[in-house]
Amino acid sequence: MTANSLGESADTHLDSGETMSLDELRAQQLENLKTTVSTVYEKVPFYRKAFDELGVTPADITSLDDIARLPFTNKQDLRDNYPFGLFAVPREQVARIHASSGTTGLPTVVGYTQSDLDVWSSLIARSIRIAGGRPGQMLHNAYGYGLFTGGLGVHGAERHGFTVVPISGGQTPRQVQLIQDFKPDIITATPTYLLTILDEFHKQGIDPTSTSLKIAICGAEPWTDAMRKEIEKSFDIDAVDIYGLSEVMGPGVASESAETKDGPTIWEDHFYPEIVDPFTGEVLPDGEEGELVFTSLTKEALPIIRYRTHDLASLLPGTARPSFRRISRITGRSDDLIIIRGVNVYPANVETVLFEFEHLSPHFQLVLTRPNRMDEVTVEVEHREGVGAMELEGLDEQVAERIKERLGVSATVVVRTPSELPRSVGKLKRIIDRRENIR
Ligand code: DLL
């Protein structure tokens, strides 16, 4: 095998990190964990205090299992140390800042050294290659540019031989035009924004299966296998799942293989995953569902220890990259959990049920109200174009019944006409919470 200047072998499109044996990987993870732990203990007062409070020092980390002795971190810790208090390098060494929008309170600010940006772009390149993309291809990047990590994160592909079109989110008619004119091979977008682009193809009378696109790399929000099939069929492409979060890096913490389509492979040589019980924090064995927790192993500007993602998933054995574990598709964030009369529901659960009805489109939202001091949920969903009154007759009740049967929740279902519901340009807000206005 010959390796090019990027360390990628020409014949397999794997870099040296991806081909490590499990023993090599575990040894490297331990070594990098020790370095990361020592660094944060020395450089970041917040961590020193948190370690001291638990009576743990870097010397206590002698195996990967010892990670469970370390303190957790969460979004609030980033906010408490706003803006740069968790950085482990002088600000002058920080080449890039990103931040989350922060719907409530302060945004969470993250930083990257040049070396962090190098790692990030190499993991984006890996993520595109595992999705079936190859250097030389063109990538239409419809993730938002700016402080959000999606756009500029994926943009790192330009350093690894891909031609990147930095269109960002929005200007949807133009997205269609540039796809037609430039003929990209790959599109990167949130799954719901890809649906908005799909609408625009139909509006312009262009057959979306006729484009040059071969691969869609979708993430940044929960989506289901049923949605994957919808996207694949509508565009006649392969659609795969990319996962990430700003506090840990951004897009490309984990990414799915187009060959196996069985959940994102975690780039474990850079991020150590754990699943913990969301209530007790106890570490759960692989295969069990709980909250995903990540520790960065190679980050310089913002190393992060045991970051609680609030994302619910399980860890599965490696397939496409045998040494790296996968995450199951994210069921939802604990923040998006709706509890209706004691029953837990995530928007993704509803999505799966709605896709069972051929006359319904993938456009839906959940409206929460509290009319009589009891929470109620209304599922508003658009029917597909060209569906007639006969087919719509009684459909709302059938859907409500199916939701009750599958999810155990009583919901009111309102079937709307095409284009009635808001469209996404990035992450779609699925839950409209009107409870406060009513109390
Ligand atoms: O959304 C990073 C990203 C950009 C990932 C583009 C993939 C593609 P944040 O804005 O910090 O970062 O939001 C992170 O988004 O904790 C999950 O709740 C959710 N999320 C990200 N990817 C997925 C996915 C970016 N594939 C939060 N499936 C995470 C489900 C996802 N949820």
Side-chain angles (χ1 to χ4, degrees), residues 158-430:
E158 73 177 10
R159 299 202 204 175
H160 292 267
F162 295 90
T163 306
V164 181
V165 181
I167 181 139
S168 189
Q171 296 187 293
T172 312
R174 203 148 176 232
Q175 305 259 353
V176 170
Q177 188 197 337
L178 296 192
I179 292 169
Q180 292 299 93
D181 295 348
F182 294 176
K183 306 201 180 341
D185 306 277
I186 305 162
I187 185 164
T188 49
T190 62
T192 57
Y193 187 51
L194 201 47
L195 291 181
T196 306
I197 296 176
L198 180 64
D199 278 356
E200 184 61 29
F201 269 98
H202 290 135
K203 210 164 124 196
Q204 295 190 19
I206 302 168
D207 175 5
T209 64
S210 71
T211 74
S212 54
L213 292 170
K214 298 177 194 72
I215 303 166
I217 306 180
C218 297
E221 60 185 3
W223 57 308
T224 59
D225 264 328
M227 176 79 97
R228 182 212 303 274
K229 290 198 183 89
E230 173 84 16
I231 290 171
E232 291 190 326
K233 194 164 138 243
S234 307
F235 284 101
D236 190 21
I237 51 177
D238 281 315
V240 294
D241 194 10
I242 184 166
Y243 172 84
L245 65 167
S246 314
E247 296 84 351
V248 175
M249 182 179 75
V253 169
S255 215
E256 192 173 42
S257 156
E259 274 166 35
T260 53
K261 290 189 188 157
D262 54 2
T265 290
I266 304 166
W267 303 127
E268 274 207 64
D269 45 345
H270 297 275
F271 311 103
Y272 191 79
E274 296 171 272
I275 294 286
V276 305
D277 181 311
F279 302 104
T280 64
E282 182 202 343
V283 180
L284 299 177
D286 286 4
E288 276 190 37
E289 183 166 286
E291 181 180 344
L292 254 177
V293 171
F294 283 104
T295 298
S296 70
L297 297 172
T298 55
K299 276 175 79 192
E300 292 181 346
L302 184 72
I304 195 115
I305 305 287
R306 304 194 84 202
Y307 186 74
R308 304 278 301 244
T309 64
H310 290 277
D311 292 325
L312 300 172
S314 54
L315 289 176
L316 305 171
T319 50
R321 301 289 180 271
S323 297
F324 295 152
R325 284 170 285 182
R326 286 167 297 139
I327 40 181
S328 61
R329 203 176 261 280
I330 308 277
T331 326
R333 289 180 64 71
S334 44
D335 316 4
D336 284 346
L337 175 65
I338 303 172
I339 305 175
I340 301 290
R341 312 218 169 122
V343 183
N344 294 359
V345 190
Y346 290 97
N349 304 135
V350 176
E351 184 174 296
T352 303
V353 176
L354 296 179
F355 268 112
E356 292 174 13
F357 292 85
E358 57 171 331
H359 299 316
L360 295 181
S361 83
H363 300 285
F364 74 98
Q365 65 183 24
L366 307 179
V367 181
L368 298 182
T369 51
R370 188 177 286 159
N372 301 307
R373 289 209 253 139
M374 293 278 261
D375 286 352
E376 297 199 350
V377 59
T378 302
V379 178
E380 299 187 25
V381 55
E382 289 177 12
H383 64 76
R384 290 191 192 266
E385 291 284 355
V387 175
M390 277 244 297
E391 287 123 334
L392 293 175
E393 181 73 39
L395 187 56
D396 46 1
E397 274 154 36
Q398 285 171 40
V399 178
E401 256 172 53
R402 188 77 61 87
I403 289 175
K404 175 84 191 163
E405 189 183 298
R406 290 265 198 287
L407 311 178
V409 154
S410 301
T412 305
V413 174
V414 178
V415 178
R416 303 253 182 225
T417 54
S419 303
E420 226 186 306
L421 296 178
R423 291 293 187 265
S424 149
V425 284
K427 293 184 193 242
L428 181 68
K429 198 164 185 273
R430 283 268 187 230

Side-chain angles (χ1 to χ4, degrees), residues 82-95:
Y82 176 85
F84 308 139
L86 295 188
F87 287 8
V89 298
R91 212 272 308 133
E92 293 72 14
Q93 288 174 32
V94 176

